[in-house]
Amino acid sequence: PVKAAAKTSTSATQTTATVDKAQVKAFKEQVEKHLRTTIGTSPVKASKLAWWQAVVATVNEDIFGRLTDTQQTHAKNDTRAVHYLSAEFLMGRLTINNLTNLEKFDVAREALKEFGLDINEICEEEPDMALGNGGLGRLAACFMDSLATCNYPCVGYGIHYENGLFRQEIRAGKQVERPDSWREYGCPWEACRPESVQNIPLGGYVEKQTAPDGSQCSVWHPSSMIKGVPWDIPVVGYRGSSVAILRLWESRSTEQFNWDVFNAGGYVDAQAEKSLAETISKVLYPNDSTEAGKELRLTQQYFFCACSLRDILRRYKRSHHNDFSEFAAKIAIQLNDTHPTIAIPELMRLLIDEEGLSYDQAWDITSKTFNYTNHTLLPEALEKWPVYIFEKLLPRHLELIYEINFRFLNGPVEAKWPGNNEIKSRLSIIEEGEVRKVRMANLCVITSEHVNGVAKIHSKLVKENLFPDYAQLWPNKFCNVTNGVTPRRWILSCNRGLAELYNDVAGKDWPLDLDKCEVLKKYADKKEYQDRFMKIKHDNKVALAKTIKELTGVEVDPNAMFDVQVKRLHEYKRQHLNLLYIMSLYKSLLEDPDQDIVPQVFIFGAKAAPAYTLAKDIIFAINAVGEKINNDLRIKGKLKVVFLPNYRVSLAEKIIPAADISEQISTAGYEASGTSNMKFSMNGALTLGTMDGANIEIVEQAGIENNFIFGLSVDEVLELKPRYNPWDYYNADHDLKAVVDWLDSDFFTPGQPGALSSIKTSLLNNGDPFLVLADFASYKEAHQRAQKLFKDKAKWARAAMINSATMGIFSSDRSIRDYAENIWTLRSQIVKK
Ligand code: 7GP
């Protein structure tokens, strides 16, 4: 039974659901109690921050009980569990999400309303937990939500960075990085676990010893010890099913390190050494898809892997003592990209040096325990560590890596390609050259049971182009798990209006089974449902327009088409292609201000890695072009360009529900998957994109006719690339030439000619590595299709609804079940209350 469709009371922030009065009363009492007894204030004088803290304390009462139930169930059943190792977890804010997953959001909203407070305002007090750069870190966060919701025994392991990804300010159009101190006033969600502290050795040298039986062994004499302090963040599954743990390690100095080494008179030196140990978890490296290659970065990676493995071993030994025969049956470890690769030699070392297993026994266990997910094909992202850094920091691990490599090259490789040294040097973990390097991806592939890419096309390229020789050796090792996103955060929490529509047409279980949303397709031709769907979109656009005004001062019309590109700034993502198109549209409007075009607002959000100069130049160019366009009265407000500063999870939650067009315009073959593309579609945006990453699978579901696909395909890019000459496109296309040359003038940067020239230089003199000019004409044509469809309100609504309705397979629950079934062989565990 479906309720009347034309419900108009639904807005972006408000639902019409009736709320249980008794629950509201109880919630209110709890909040007030915590305000007084936990926070030490009272309703009359409490700040918004204090109110927020009291709400969290109230929610935590629910969470910690369920956490204990979950852990007891798993311990009692001695379940197999997955351990997700990731240098990044981009969690965002937790309050609304936790309330939603506990089905307490409406209760909390009403309770706060009775105190005269707006829940959204109170929740704005929470700093984003931005312990990640972009897609890879956010994927880990969505996976934790799905692991908990689907009741899989798991632990997420990462680093408790004191400073997350930098806060971006825009000054005079330019990006300025500021530190992000997300824990300045404490984080009420996390709990410190001193009982699980670990001590991690580092540096020093390896001594060869001969045992009484004549055999050789290695003894590592580390030069320092670092303390790893665990902080636990509970992750609540939807409807409180189970509560998973995200355990993040903070580095501290150890006492023996300070006071034994620096005795009398060494007090100041000891303090200096102390800060060195504490530096390890100080800051997240702000690179997305580029390796940092810094000693501190390898130390971070080793530190959190070593802490996590000791934690895993400790828990295993609680039920299995010193018998490791069950280890691989009980423990699965997933490596989120190569960042945690060092866990491989560390597990070998722990098993051989500390637990007394033989090399063969240790290898048998290790090679059954690990799996590796690749997230990018960009060569600059593939981590390679100079051997000399290993010698200095991790000499024993280096020895083990050499051993693994020796046995691999002289075993399986020699058997398959006898005497073939060329293939050996390609497959070797060690890259020879002036500076010898350890190739982390090779170590991952050699050790792991499964290696997966993150979308069908990407997994194919991983197998065929990145690791073709390994694929010949082990064809069955390679598989695909297409990414997904959690519908709890990315529909239910951030788009209440749409959530209510789905409640009405699909029943209330759709957040647990997103395929249920497909019924909306049946209503896609019905006017009243189209109207309701587009009213929800419009309300979200009104709310975003307000945010835009607050953040940038720019006034935008919610009736205009909102065209959005939000993601890290990278040449391969081609924000500059978007910019060139905007310039050409502006040019044509100047030439003919009365032409009948759909009013458009182009919205950008993007952080650039601080050392990535061209990316920063592109941000400056977007702001400079926007400034000019937004203040040009001749175009009568038909075009606006906004750059929203400090793009992050909480801003994404406001932007995505308000988008009409989702720009997914990477050069085909370069975006491994993309995940915002899925979030946009779910929320009823149409994709304007290339046949790249998960875009391909999105249009497979939603229909190519309901999106705007353009540009070269992966095969066409591979074919064109070797003979590509951007000048051919520049010279052949008047419009393209005009806008590229425009970058060289001082039209957008009065008094500063050449301020935007670096973009032109990269596109022409530096060969346009991402084929921007080659795709320009096709991109322009796709925009024209989009404009045409936008004028037909009914057809647009239909296409938007079909997009939203057909995204079921992009729930991260589906991804996690794929991992559980095909990679981890993991069974879910119902937790008894
Ligand atoms: C990203 C990929 O670029 C993106 O296409 C994919 O959706 C996402 O991972 C999740 O799989 N890669 C990264 O974020 C990345 O390589 C390195 O970061 C720090």
Short mmCIF file of all heavy atoms in Angstrom, two decimals, residues 426-479:
data_model
loop_
_atom_site.label_atom_id
_atom_site.label_comp_id
_atom_site.label_asym_id
_atom_site.label_seq_id
_atom_site.Cartn_x
_atom_site.Cartn_y
_atom_site.Cartn_z
N ARG A 426 61.49 -8.21 -13.79
CA ARG A 426 60.18 -7.53 -13.75
C ARG A 426 59.37 -7.94 -12.54
O ARG A 426 58.67 -7.14 -11.94
CB ARG A 426 59.37 -7.88 -15.01
CG ARG A 426 59.65 -7.03 -16.23
CD ARG A 426 58.41 -6.89 -17.12
NE ARG A 426 57.84 -8.15 -17.55
CZ ARG A 426 58.18 -8.80 -18.68
NH1 ARG A 426 59.11 -8.31 -19.46
NH2 ARG A 426 57.60 -9.93 -19.00
N LEU A 427 59.43 -9.22 -12.19
CA LEU A 427 58.58 -9.72 -11.10
C LEU A 427 59.23 -9.57 -9.73
O LEU A 427 58.55 -9.72 -8.70
CB LEU A 427 58.26 -11.20 -11.34
CG LEU A 427 57.36 -11.47 -12.54
CD1 LEU A 427 57.04 -12.95 -12.65
CD2 LEU A 427 56.06 -10.68 -12.44
N SER A 428 60.50 -9.29 -9.71
CA SER A 428 61.22 -9.20 -8.44
C SER A 428 60.62 -8.14 -7.52
O SER A 428 60.15 -7.10 -7.98
CB SER A 428 62.68 -8.86 -8.72
OG SER A 428 63.35 -8.60 -7.51
N ILE A 429 60.67 -8.40 -6.22
CA ILE A 429 60.23 -7.39 -5.25
C ILE A 429 61.22 -6.23 -5.24
O ILE A 429 60.87 -5.09 -4.95
CB ILE A 429 60.10 -8.00 -3.83
CG1 ILE A 429 59.09 -9.16 -3.84
CG2 ILE A 429 59.67 -6.95 -2.81
CD1 ILE A 429 59.05 -9.95 -2.54
N ILE A 430 62.46 -6.53 -5.60
CA ILE A 430 63.50 -5.50 -5.59
C ILE A 430 63.69 -4.93 -6.99
O ILE A 430 63.89 -5.67 -7.95
CB ILE A 430 64.84 -6.07 -5.07
CG1 ILE A 430 64.65 -6.73 -3.70
CG2 ILE A 430 65.91 -4.98 -5.01
CD1 ILE A 430 64.16 -5.81 -2.59
N GLU A 431 63.63 -3.61 -7.07
CA GLU A 431 63.92 -2.94 -8.33
C GLU A 431 65.39 -2.54 -8.31
O GLU A 431 65.83 -1.84 -7.40
CB GLU A 431 63.02 -1.70 -8.46
CG GLU A 431 63.23 -0.89 -9.72
CD GLU A 431 62.27 0.30 -9.77
OE1 GLU A 431 61.09 0.10 -10.12
OE2 GLU A 431 62.71 1.41 -9.42
N GLU A 432 66.14 -3.01 -9.32
CA GLU A 432 67.56 -2.67 -9.36
C GLU A 432 67.71 -1.27 -9.96
O GLU A 432 66.80 -0.77 -10.62
CB GLU A 432 68.33 -3.70 -10.20
CG GLU A 432 68.26 -5.13 -9.67
CD GLU A 432 68.90 -5.31 -8.28
OE1 GLU A 432 69.79 -4.51 -7.93
OE2 GLU A 432 68.50 -6.25 -7.56
N GLY A 433 68.85 -0.66 -9.77
CA GLY A 433 69.07 0.69 -10.31
C GLY A 433 70.02 1.43 -9.40
O GLY A 433 70.56 0.83 -8.46
N GLU A 434 70.19 2.70 -9.69
CA GLU A 434 71.12 3.49 -8.89
C GLU A 434 70.73 3.42 -7.41
O GLU A 434 71.55 3.23 -6.54
CB GLU A 434 71.08 4.93 -9.36
CG GLU A 434 72.41 5.64 -9.25
CD GLU A 434 72.35 6.97 -9.95
OE1 GLU A 434 72.08 6.98 -11.18
OE2 GLU A 434 72.54 7.98 -9.27
N VAL A 435 69.41 3.61 -7.18
CA VAL A 435 68.88 3.41 -5.83
C VAL A 435 68.01 2.15 -5.88
O VAL A 435 67.01 2.13 -6.58
CB VAL A 435 68.02 4.62 -5.39
CG1 VAL A 435 67.49 4.41 -3.97
CG2 VAL A 435 68.82 5.90 -5.48
N ARG A 436 68.40 1.12 -5.16
CA ARG A 436 67.60 -0.11 -5.16
C ARG A 436 66.34 0.13 -4.33
O ARG A 436 66.37 0.81 -3.31
CB ARG A 436 68.41 -1.27 -4.60
CG ARG A 436 69.67 -1.55 -5.42
CD ARG A 436 70.51 -2.64 -4.79
NE ARG A 436 69.91 -3.97 -4.96
CZ ARG A 436 69.70 -4.83 -3.96
NH1 ARG A 436 70.02 -4.51 -2.73
NH2 ARG A 436 69.17 -6.00 -4.21
N LYS A 437 65.24 -0.41 -4.83
CA LYS A 437 63.96 -0.14 -4.15
C LYS A 437 63.14 -1.40 -3.91
O LYS A 437 63.25 -2.36 -4.67
CB LYS A 437 63.13 0.83 -5.01
CG LYS A 437 63.71 2.22 -5.02
CD LYS A 437 62.88 3.16 -5.85
CE LYS A 437 63.44 4.58 -5.74
NZ LYS A 437 62.90 5.44 -6.78
N VAL A 438 62.31 -1.33 -2.88
CA VAL A 438 61.38 -2.42 -2.58
C VAL A 438 60.03 -2.05 -3.19
O VAL A 438 59.45 -1.02 -2.87
CB VAL A 438 61.21 -2.60 -1.05
CG1 VAL A 438 60.27 -3.76 -0.75
CG2 VAL A 438 62.56 -2.82 -0.39
N ARG A 439 59.54 -2.92 -4.09
CA ARG A 439 58.24 -2.66 -4.73
C ARG A 439 57.15 -3.29 -3.88
O ARG A 439 56.98 -4.51 -3.87
CB ARG A 439 58.20 -3.28 -6.11
CG ARG A 439 59.21 -2.73 -7.11
CD ARG A 439 59.32 -3.73 -8.24
NE ARG A 439 60.06 -3.24 -9.38
CZ ARG A 439 60.67 -4.06 -10.24
NH1 ARG A 439 60.63 -5.37 -10.08
NH2 ARG A 439 61.32 -3.55 -11.28
N MET A 440 56.41 -2.44 -3.19
CA MET A 440 55.44 -2.95 -2.22
C MET A 440 54.30 -3.72 -2.90
O MET A 440 53.82 -4.72 -2.37
CB MET A 440 54.89 -1.80 -1.38
CG MET A 440 55.96 -1.02 -0.61
SD MET A 440 57.04 -2.06 0.38
CE MET A 440 56.33 -1.84 2.01
N ALA A 441 53.87 -3.28 -4.07
CA ALA A 441 52.76 -3.97 -4.74
C ALA A 441 53.16 -5.40 -5.12
O ALA A 441 52.35 -6.32 -5.00
CB ALA A 441 52.31 -3.19 -5.97
N ASN A 442 54.41 -5.58 -5.53
CA ASN A 442 54.85 -6.93 -5.88
C ASN A 442 54.81 -7.85 -4.66
O ASN A 442 54.38 -9.00 -4.75
CB ASN A 442 56.26 -6.89 -6.46
CG ASN A 442 56.29 -6.27 -7.85
OD1 ASN A 442 55.38 -5.53 -8.21
ND2 ASN A 442 57.32 -6.57 -8.62
N LEU A 443 55.25 -7.31 -3.53
CA LEU A 443 55.20 -8.10 -2.29
C LEU A 443 53.76 -8.49 -1.97
O LEU A 443 53.47 -9.62 -1.56
CB LEU A 443 55.84 -7.29 -1.15
CG LEU A 443 55.86 -7.92 0.24
CD1 LEU A 443 56.48 -9.31 0.23
CD2 LEU A 443 56.64 -7.02 1.22
N CYS A 444 52.83 -7.56 -2.17
CA CYS A 444 51.41 -7.85 -1.92
C CYS A 444 50.89 -8.95 -2.82
O CYS A 444 50.20 -9.88 -2.37
CB CYS A 444 50.55 -6.60 -2.19
SG CYS A 444 50.65 -5.39 -0.90
N VAL A 445 51.21 -8.85 -4.11
CA VAL A 445 50.66 -9.83 -5.05
C VAL A 445 51.24 -11.21 -4.79
O VAL A 445 50.53 -12.22 -4.80
CB VAL A 445 50.93 -9.38 -6.51
CG1 VAL A 445 50.46 -10.45 -7.50
CG2 VAL A 445 50.22 -8.07 -6.80
N ILE A 446 52.54 -11.26 -4.51
CA ILE A 446 53.19 -12.55 -4.27
C ILE A 446 52.61 -13.23 -3.04
O ILE A 446 52.39 -14.43 -3.02
CB ILE A 446 54.72 -12.36 -4.12
CG1 ILE A 446 55.31 -11.94 -5.47
CG2 ILE A 446 55.40 -13.60 -3.58
CD1 ILE A 446 56.73 -11.38 -5.38
N THR A 447 52.30 -12.45 -2.02
CA THR A 447 51.85 -13.04 -0.75
C THR A 447 50.36 -13.32 -0.70
O THR A 447 49.93 -14.28 -0.07
CB THR A 447 52.20 -12.09 0.42
OG1 THR A 447 53.54 -11.66 0.29
CG2 THR A 447 52.01 -12.79 1.76
N SER A 448 49.56 -12.47 -1.34
CA SER A 448 48.12 -12.51 -1.09
C SER A 448 47.42 -13.69 -1.75
O SER A 448 47.82 -14.14 -2.82
CB SER A 448 47.47 -11.21 -1.59
OG SER A 448 47.93 -10.13 -0.83
N GLU A 449 46.35 -14.15 -1.09
CA GLU A 449 45.49 -15.16 -1.69
C GLU A 449 44.71 -14.55 -2.84
O GLU A 449 44.54 -15.15 -3.89
CB GLU A 449 44.48 -15.66 -0.65
CG GLU A 449 45.02 -16.72 0.26
CD GLU A 449 44.29 -18.04 0.07
OE1 GLU A 449 43.04 -18.06 0.07
OE2 GLU A 449 44.99 -19.06 -0.07
N HIS A 450 44.17 -13.34 -2.60
CA HIS A 450 43.37 -12.66 -3.61
C HIS A 450 43.85 -11.23 -3.80
O HIS A 450 44.23 -10.57 -2.83
CB HIS A 450 41.90 -12.62 -3.19
CG HIS A 450 41.29 -13.97 -3.00
ND1 HIS A 450 40.82 -14.73 -4.04
CD2 HIS A 450 41.10 -14.69 -1.88
CE1 HIS A 450 40.34 -15.86 -3.59
NE2 HIS A 450 40.51 -15.88 -2.27
N VAL A 451 43.78 -10.79 -5.04
CA VAL A 451 44.11 -9.41 -5.37
C VAL A 451 42.91 -8.86 -6.12
O VAL A 451 42.48 -9.45 -7.12
CB VAL A 451 45.36 -9.33 -6.27
CG1 VAL A 451 45.59 -7.90 -6.76
CG2 VAL A 451 46.59 -9.87 -5.54
N ASN A 452 42.33 -7.78 -5.62
CA ASN A 452 41.16 -7.27 -6.34
C ASN A 452 41.28 -5.80 -6.72
O ASN A 452 41.94 -5.01 -6.04
CB ASN A 452 39.87 -7.48 -5.52
CG ASN A 452 39.72 -6.51 -4.36
OD1 ASN A 452 40.39 -6.61 -3.35
ND2 ASN A 452 38.82 -5.54 -4.54
N GLY A 453 40.64 -5.47 -7.84
CA GLY A 453 40.43 -4.08 -8.22
C GLY A 453 39.05 -3.67 -7.72
O GLY A 453 38.34 -4.47 -7.11
N VAL A 454 38.66 -2.41 -7.98
CA VAL A 454 37.48 -1.85 -7.32
C VAL A 454 36.31 -1.52 -8.26
O VAL A 454 35.32 -0.95 -7.82
CB VAL A 454 37.88 -0.62 -6.47
CG1 VAL A 454 38.70 -1.05 -5.26
CG2 VAL A 454 38.66 0.39 -7.30
N ALA A 455 36.44 -1.87 -9.54
CA ALA A 455 35.32 -1.82 -10.49
C ALA A 455 35.70 -2.78 -11.62
O ALA A 455 36.89 -3.10 -11.77
CB ALA A 455 35.11 -0.40 -11.04
N LYS A 456 34.72 -3.23 -12.37
CA LYS A 456 35.01 -4.27 -13.36
C LYS A 456 36.15 -3.88 -14.29
O LYS A 456 37.10 -4.64 -14.49
CB LYS A 456 33.75 -4.57 -14.20
CG LYS A 456 32.76 -5.49 -13.51
CD LYS A 456 31.72 -5.99 -14.53
CE LYS A 456 30.32 -5.75 -14.03
NZ LYS A 456 29.30 -5.84 -15.08
N ILE A 457 36.04 -2.67 -14.87
CA ILE A 457 37.06 -2.27 -15.84
C ILE A 457 38.43 -2.15 -15.18
O ILE A 457 39.46 -2.55 -15.75
CB ILE A 457 36.66 -0.92 -16.53
CG1 ILE A 457 37.69 -0.48 -17.58
CG2 ILE A 457 36.51 0.20 -15.53
CD1 ILE A 457 37.48 -1.08 -18.92
N HIS A 458 38.44 -1.64 -13.97
CA HIS A 458 39.70 -1.47 -13.25
C HIS A 458 40.34 -2.82 -12.93
O HIS A 458 41.55 -3.01 -13.13
CB HIS A 458 39.44 -0.66 -11.97
CG HIS A 458 40.59 -0.63 -11.00
ND1 HIS A 458 41.78 -0.01 -11.28
CD2 HIS A 458 40.72 -1.15 -9.76
CE1 HIS A 458 42.60 -0.15 -10.24
NE2 HIS A 458 41.98 -0.84 -9.31
N SER A 459 39.53 -3.77 -12.49
CA SER A 459 40.06 -5.09 -12.16
C SER A 459 40.65 -5.77 -13.40
O SER A 459 41.66 -6.48 -13.31
CB SER A 459 38.97 -5.97 -11.55
OG SER A 459 38.57 -5.41 -10.32
N LYS A 460 40.01 -5.52 -14.53
CA LYS A 460 40.53 -6.07 -15.79
C LYS A 460 41.90 -5.44 -16.11
O LYS A 460 42.84 -6.14 -16.48
CB LYS A 460 39.52 -5.76 -16.90
CG LYS A 460 39.89 -6.24 -18.28
CD LYS A 460 38.70 -6.00 -19.24
CE LYS A 460 38.93 -6.44 -20.66
NZ LYS A 460 39.93 -5.72 -21.40
N LEU A 461 42.00 -4.13 -15.90
CA LEU A 461 43.27 -3.46 -16.18
C LEU A 461 44.36 -3.85 -15.18
O LEU A 461 45.53 -3.95 -15.53
CB LEU A 461 43.08 -1.93 -16.19
CG LEU A 461 42.18 -1.38 -17.31
CD1 LEU A 461 41.87 0.10 -17.08
CD2 LEU A 461 42.82 -1.58 -18.69
N VAL A 462 43.97 -4.08 -13.93
CA VAL A 462 44.93 -4.55 -12.93
C VAL A 462 45.53 -5.87 -13.39
O VAL A 462 46.75 -6.07 -13.37
CB VAL A 462 44.25 -4.72 -11.54
CG1 VAL A 462 45.12 -5.53 -10.59
CG2 VAL A 462 43.93 -3.37 -10.92
N LYS A 463 44.66 -6.74 -13.85
CA LYS A 463 45.12 -8.08 -14.24
C LYS A 463 45.91 -8.03 -15.56
O LYS A 463 46.98 -8.62 -15.67
CB LYS A 463 43.89 -8.98 -14.38
CG LYS A 463 44.20 -10.44 -14.61
CD LYS A 463 42.94 -11.28 -14.48
CE LYS A 463 43.27 -12.73 -14.86
NZ LYS A 463 42.10 -13.62 -14.68
N GLU A 464 45.39 -7.31 -16.53
CA GLU A 464 45.97 -7.39 -17.87
C GLU A 464 47.10 -6.39 -18.12
O GLU A 464 48.01 -6.68 -18.89
CB GLU A 464 44.88 -7.22 -18.93
CG GLU A 464 43.93 -8.39 -18.94
CD GLU A 464 42.71 -8.17 -19.84
OE1 GLU A 464 42.67 -7.14 -20.56
OE2 GLU A 464 41.82 -9.02 -19.81
N ASN A 465 47.03 -5.22 -17.51
CA ASN A 465 48.04 -4.19 -17.81
C ASN A 465 49.04 -3.96 -16.68
O ASN A 465 50.19 -3.65 -16.94
CB ASN A 465 47.38 -2.85 -18.15
CG ASN A 465 46.56 -2.93 -19.42
OD1 ASN A 465 46.35 -4.01 -19.96
ND2 ASN A 465 46.09 -1.79 -19.90
N LEU A 466 48.56 -4.07 -15.42
CA LEU A 466 49.47 -3.75 -14.31
C LEU A 466 50.29 -4.98 -13.91
O LEU A 466 51.49 -4.90 -13.72
CB LEU A 466 48.67 -3.21 -13.12
CG LEU A 466 49.47 -2.65 -11.94
CD1 LEU A 466 50.32 -1.46 -12.37
CD2 LEU A 466 48.56 -2.26 -10.79
N PHE A 467 49.62 -6.13 -13.79
CA PHE A 467 50.31 -7.35 -13.33
C PHE A 467 50.16 -8.51 -14.32
O PHE A 467 49.79 -9.62 -13.91
CB PHE A 467 49.75 -7.78 -11.97
CG PHE A 467 49.89 -6.76 -10.87
CD1 PHE A 467 48.76 -6.31 -10.17
CD2 PHE A 467 51.13 -6.26 -10.50
CE1 PHE A 467 48.88 -5.39 -9.14
CE2 PHE A 467 51.25 -5.33 -9.47
CZ PHE A 467 50.12 -4.89 -8.79
N PRO A 468 50.43 -8.30 -15.61
CA PRO A 468 50.15 -9.36 -16.59
C PRO A 468 50.96 -10.64 -16.33
O PRO A 468 50.43 -11.74 -16.50
CB PRO A 468 50.54 -8.73 -17.93
CG PRO A 468 51.44 -7.59 -17.59
CD PRO A 468 51.00 -7.10 -16.24
N ASP A 469 52.22 -10.51 -15.90
CA ASP A 469 53.03 -11.72 -15.69
C ASP A 469 52.53 -12.51 -14.49
O ASP A 469 52.45 -13.74 -14.53
CB ASP A 469 54.50 -11.35 -15.47
CG ASP A 469 55.04 -10.48 -16.59
OD1 ASP A 469 54.76 -10.79 -17.77
OD2 ASP A 469 55.74 -9.49 -16.29
N TYR A 470 52.19 -11.78 -13.43
CA TYR A 470 51.64 -12.45 -12.25
C TYR A 470 50.34 -13.16 -12.61
O TYR A 470 50.03 -14.24 -12.09
CB TYR A 470 51.37 -11.45 -11.12
CG TYR A 470 52.61 -10.92 -10.45
CD1 TYR A 470 53.01 -9.61 -10.62
CD2 TYR A 470 53.37 -11.75 -9.63
CE1 TYR A 470 54.14 -9.11 -9.99
CE2 TYR A 470 54.50 -11.26 -8.98
CZ TYR A 470 54.88 -9.94 -9.17
OH TYR A 470 56.00 -9.44 -8.54
N ALA A 471 49.56 -12.54 -13.50
CA ALA A 471 48.28 -13.15 -13.88
C ALA A 471 48.49 -14.45 -14.64
O ALA A 471 47.69 -15.37 -14.56
CB ALA A 471 47.46 -12.16 -14.70
N GLN A 472 49.60 -14.50 -15.39
CA GLN A 472 49.91 -15.77 -16.07
C GLN A 472 50.28 -16.84 -15.07
O GLN A 472 49.92 -18.00 -15.22
CB GLN A 472 51.09 -15.56 -17.01
CG GLN A 472 50.68 -14.97 -18.34
CD GLN A 472 51.77 -15.23 -19.37
OE1 GLN A 472 52.30 -16.34 -19.49
NE2 GLN A 472 52.10 -14.19 -20.12
N LEU A 473 50.99 -16.42 -14.05
CA LEU A 473 51.44 -17.36 -13.02
C LEU A 473 50.26 -17.85 -12.18
O LEU A 473 50.12 -19.04 -11.87
CB LEU A 473 52.47 -16.64 -12.15
CG LEU A 473 53.50 -17.42 -11.37
CD1 LEU A 473 54.22 -18.42 -12.26
CD2 LEU A 473 54.49 -16.42 -10.75
N TRP A 474 49.41 -16.90 -11.80
CA TRP A 474 48.29 -17.21 -10.89
C TRP A 474 47.00 -16.56 -11.40
O TRP A 474 46.51 -15.58 -10.80
CB TRP A 474 48.57 -16.64 -9.50
CG TRP A 474 49.78 -17.17 -8.82
CD1 TRP A 474 50.09 -18.48 -8.55
CD2 TRP A 474 50.86 -16.39 -8.25
NE1 TRP A 474 51.28 -18.55 -7.87
CE2 TRP A 474 51.78 -17.29 -7.66
CE3 TRP A 474 51.13 -15.01 -8.17
CZ2 TRP A 474 52.94 -16.87 -7.02
CZ3 TRP A 474 52.29 -14.60 -7.53
CH2 TRP A 474 53.19 -15.51 -6.96
N PRO A 475 46.41 -17.09 -12.46
CA PRO A 475 45.23 -16.41 -13.04
C PRO A 475 44.06 -16.28 -12.05
O PRO A 475 43.30 -15.32 -12.12
CB PRO A 475 44.85 -17.30 -14.22
CG PRO A 475 45.64 -18.55 -14.10
CD PRO A 475 46.81 -18.29 -13.22
N ASN A 476 43.97 -17.22 -11.12
CA ASN A 476 42.80 -17.19 -10.22
C ASN A 476 42.95 -16.28 -9.02
O ASN A 476 42.03 -16.12 -8.23
CB ASN A 476 42.47 -18.60 -9.75
CG ASN A 476 42.11 -19.48 -10.93
OD1 ASN A 476 41.54 -19.00 -11.92
ND2 ASN A 476 42.48 -20.75 -10.86
N LYS A 477 44.14 -15.72 -8.89
CA LYS A 477 44.37 -14.82 -7.76
C LYS A 477 43.61 -13.51 -7.96
O LYS A 477 43.23 -12.83 -7.01
CB LYS A 477 45.87 -14.53 -7.67
CG LYS A 477 46.34 -14.03 -6.34
CD LYS A 477 47.85 -13.82 -6.33
CE LYS A 477 48.57 -15.00 -5.69
NZ LYS A 477 49.73 -14.59 -4.87
N PHE A 478 43.37 -13.14 -9.20
CA PHE A 478 42.85 -11.80 -9.49
C PHE A 478 41.33 -11.80 -9.59
O PHE A 478 40.75 -12.66 -10.26
CB PHE A 478 43.48 -11.28 -10.79
CG PHE A 478 44.96 -11.06 -10.64
CD1 PHE A 478 45.86 -12.10 -10.85
CD2 PHE A 478 45.44 -9.83 -10.21
CE1 PHE A 478 47.23 -11.90 -10.67
CE2 PHE A 478 46.80 -9.63 -10.03
CZ PHE A 478 47.70 -10.68 -10.26
N CYS A 479 40.70 -10.84 -8.92
CA CYS A 479 39.24 -10.79 -8.98
C CYS A 479 38.77 -9.34 -8.86
O CYS A 479 39.57 -8.42 -8.71
CB CYS A 479 38.64 -11.64 -7.87
SG CYS A 479 39.16 -11.17 -6.22
#
